[in-house]
Amino acid sequence: MPIYFFFYLLNHNYHFIGEADIDLFAILFLLIGNHILLIIFVASLFALLAYPFIKQVSGKIPFIPFIYLSYLMFLCIKK
């Protein structure tokens, strides 16, 4: 888990993502391995599609719902 600590320290200085997002990515990596990159990519696409609608309401966009949605998609496709 040195990568986890690297991203945690990097985020501590630059705040590019929420701390819970990093924890969730670490847990998902332990569950599914290298497919986490696919989940990050799909979650980012969902967030980009929802960005114009959510940005008008509030300043920050929570990323965990998009991670969850992409993980559910991954589980459905995997079966």
Side-chain angles (χ1 to χ4, degrees):
M1 289 312 249
I3 295 173
Y4 171 78
F5 290 115
F6 171 74
F7 279 114
Y8 187 78
L9 290 175
L10 188 66
N11 188 43
H12 182 69
N13 291 334
Y14 296 107
H15 303 288
F16 62 91
I17 195 170
E19 291 180 14
D21 298 334
I22 296 172
D23 295 339
L24 184 61
F25 285 140
I27 291 169
L28 287 176
F29 179 76
L30 292 174
L31 289 174
I32 61 173
N34 290 335
H35 294 292
I36 190 69
L37 295 176
L38 177 66
I39 289 177
I40 293 171
F41 179 72
V42 173
S44 299
L45 288 177
F46 286 148
L48 283 174
L49 291 174
Y51 179 75
F53 305 106
I54 297 174
K55 186 65 176 177
Q56 294 173 357
V57 177
S58 65
K60 293 187 177 184
I61 298 174
F63 196 51
I64 288 183
F66 302 112
I67 298 168
Y68 178 70
L69 182 63
S70 63
Y71 179 64
L72 285 179
M73 252 179 88
F74 173 77
L75 288 178
C76 291
I77 292 172
K78 186 179 175 183
K79 290 185 178 186

